[in-house]
Amino acid sequence: MGLGELNEVDRALAAEVADWRRRGLGRSVGGGGTDGRVAVDFTSNDYLGMAGNAAVCAAASEAAREHGAGGRAARLLGGGSPKTADLEHQLASWLGADAALLLPSGYQANLTLMAAIAGPGDVVVSDEDNHASLIDGLRLSRATVKVFRHADAEHAAALLEESRGARRVLCVTESVFSMGGDRAPLVELSEACARLGAGLIVDEAHAVGVVGPRGRGGFAASGAASAPLVAQIVTGGKALGAAGAFIAGSQALVEAVIHKGRGFMFSTAVAPAVVGALEASIGLVADADPAREILRAHAVRIAAAAGAPEPSAAIVPILIGDERRAVAAAEALRAGGLGVRAVRQPTVRPGAAQLRVACHAQHRSQDIDALLDGLAPILGAGDGTVRAGDTDGAQRAVETVSSPSSLTVPPPPVFIVGTDTDIGKTVAAAAVARALDAPYWKPVQTGEDSDSRTVERLAGPRPDAARVIAAPAYEFPLPASPHTAAAAAGAVIDPEVLHVALGDRVREAAPAPLVVELAGGLHVPLTASYTQADWLARERPRVVLIARSGLGTLNHTLLTLEALRARRLTPSALILVGEPHAENAATLAAHVDHLFELPTLAPLDPGAIDAWLAEHPLADAIRRE
Ligand code: PMP
């Protein structure tokens, strides 16, 4: 506030931020551009150097001189410059679309587009790694969202298939993913959309200018059939070097956004300088094939040296795993003049922190040499240690970051989620842990019975380790909902404690996945205002849903599936525990990828579980992701 005193809200916010910083998740914005220490920028998305291109900058100043500094008003109220419509035509014809509409940013374009063309009653099938702006746009749309496993066209097709009959069905993906740098399977997605009557939306933020004939992006590069393509989003702030974003598609699509897109209708038009810059840069970028080749060669070289998969475009992700180690590695590179960012949760999964290297066409080969030298100790090619205070190259950091395990991402945990309490969840958890040869953890235990002990007995020990990885983070004697049991013991559950403990347990469990058993049903509160469902939404784990077999199963199970889907979680499997019930199983099989019936086992011991597992491919169903 600048008044020297913090109010209640500010104090709480300051505590939250301090906690993020403590856990290696602190962020700061700095002054923009590269700071004095950074000689080579491997962070920004200015892939072709257009942001500093003399002709682009001159076009921006000229447009400002001619048409003023501001957009003045929303387009529908006469805002924008006379050149805006020309620019939209230029972009559309470059891309091969009928029409395009310019918005102030890619974030706003995605929000506006999704909310304008999808709504209640519609289904949107969305890649799990899609950008936050697409996810937020889908939330705003209130359409039913079904999330498919990253770049898994088969899973997307299955979700499209089960959504037939909805009012409108769409599939949305990035063409080149902003963090992984990999490409979407656009040929397969386009084929599935065509076959199943769905429309395809492709965010080309990291592809336009970088891949495809004349830099037209990932869709053009893929050779996919264009019939189901409804929209492409092209951002102006990355390879095009300026700002803003285009929604490109048919005339009908653009008109729909003009009529229904609130982010277009109620927002001031893009400033003339941006329009001028984009007009100049699109021309240059279309003709920049030689620059694209250089860019690709840089990315291929870095990926090969770092042991990363062959890059699809300009981005090379280097997995580090632990958040603090990723920050230390980025800091070490920065000290050596190399601007590389650590990417951490929530941008990527907890425990999957990475260094994101963005190649630019204007990098010289000695810049790449310097980066590879800087990466060597981080990747363990040197003596394995990144040293504090070492000023040679990038070898300054605070921790060792090179043990091989730190370079592998732990698999996501498998959460065992119930539709209710007392339904056989612990037996199912034991079966899952045994099937995956995985350690088990019960984060919150209420009541005198210990689920950990039950699982230890039923699943037996692991070949070289205990089955139960750690004691619960919270244990309360009252057999009640966690928030009630905590209150009875004069305690409060802190979701942050659970989150941090989960991250630690997941890393300890690696390379095995951690099996985590929740308390009672999905919506059980952990605090007065935070349920297990909220926690799940934050962690994005794999989910195995457990229901009891019998009367009431259908309603409980369908409600829980709906609640999971609302949080973008698709269970890997549903296990119905108890007497097999053919009708229930047949009905529910249509709603999940894999359904298993786990009858009451007698005797209930590891041998009986093994006999059941021999007949039921539970591990395959869960590992398929
Ligand atoms: N989509 C993707 C895939 C992105 O990576 C980004 C930017 N990080 C955006 C959309 C948002 O674009 P803008 O920066 O123009 O808001």
Side-chain angles (χ1 to χ4, degrees), residues 45 105-108 110 131 133 174 178 203 205-206 235 237-238 244-245:
N45 304 312
S105 77
Y107 187 91
Q108 196 167 334
N110 279 341
H131 190 257
S133 53
E174 294 175 39
S178 61
D203 181 337
H206 297 274
T235 55
K238 298 187 167 73

Side-chain angles (χ1 to χ4, degrees), residues 9-20:
V9 175
D10 291 329
R11 256 195 298 279
L13 293 175
E16 260 178 54
V17 172
D19 186 55
W20 280 83

Side-chain angles (χ1 to χ4, degrees), residues 72-145:
R72 295 195 168 94
R75 291 278 287 290
L76 294 175
L77 296 176
S81 85
K83 294 226 169 142
T84 312
D86 294 345
L87 174 67
E88 289 167 340
H89 286 134
Q90 183 190 1
L91 185 283
S93 74
W94 178 40
L95 227 61
D98 288 346
L101 191 68
L102 178 63
L103 280 96
S105 77
Y107 187 91
Q108 196 167 334
N110 279 341
L111 230 61
T112 305
L113 173 69
M114 298 318 309
I117 68 168
D122 298 334
V123 175
V124 185
V125 171
S126 170
D127 188 289
E128 67 177 335
D129 281 3
N130 274 343
H131 190 257
S133 53
L134 292 166
I135 296 168
D136 294 353
L138 291 176
R139 287 187 182 138
L140 202 58
S141 76
R142 293 188 292 138
T144 299
V145 179

Side-chain angles (χ1 to χ4, degrees), residues 322-526:
D322 180 75
E323 283 79 15
R324 291 181 200 86
R325 287 178 170 175
V327 172
E331 186 51 35
L333 291 168
R334 200 169 185 76
L338 302 162
V340 175
R341 280 293 154 102
V343 181
R344 294 154 290 160
Q345 59 159 308
T347 312
V348 292
R349 266 201 335 259
Q354 65 184 44
L355 295 174
R356 177 183 183 272
V357 176
C359 298
H360 297 173
Q362 63 275 25
H363 286 147
R364 301 158 309 164
S365 64
Q366 57 265 45
D367 298 331
I368 309 298
D369 294 343
L371 178 69
L372 298 185
D373 283 351
L375 284 171
I378 292 165
L379 298 172
D383 65 0
T385 306
V386 180
R387 285 175 289 275
D390 188 338
T391 51
D392 180 16
Q395 296 175 336
R396 190 180 77 83
V398 290
E399 273 186 80
T400 299
V401 291
S402 58
S403 74
S405 66
S406 71
L407 296 176
T408 50
V409 183
V414 179
F415 271 51
I416 307 298
V417 178
T419 56
D420 200 353
T421 194
D422 264 348
I423 53 170
K425 194 156 45 71
T426 305
V427 176
V432 171
R434 198 159 168 90
L436 297 175
D437 186 18
Y440 166 94
W441 186 49
K442 176 90 180 178
V444 182
Q445 178 73 60
T446 64
E448 299 291 355
D449 293 341
S450 159
D451 291 340
S452 300
R453 268 201 303 278
T454 307
V455 168
E456 194 132 55
R457 184 170 58 76
L458 293 183
R462 301 177 66 212
D464 48 8
R467 179 68 63 184
V468 174
I469 197 164
Y474 293 97
E475 282 181 277
F476 305 110
L478 189 72
S481 146
H483 77 313
T484 311
V492 176
I493 292 174
D494 181 349
E496 284 305 312
V497 168
L498 290 178
H499 172 70
V500 172
L502 176 70
D504 291 345
R505 297 292 91 79
V506 163
R507 279 190 288 276
E508 282 158 35
L514 177 72
V515 173
V516 182
E517 183 184 347
L518 291 184
L522 173 66
H523 273 307
V524 160
L526 293 167

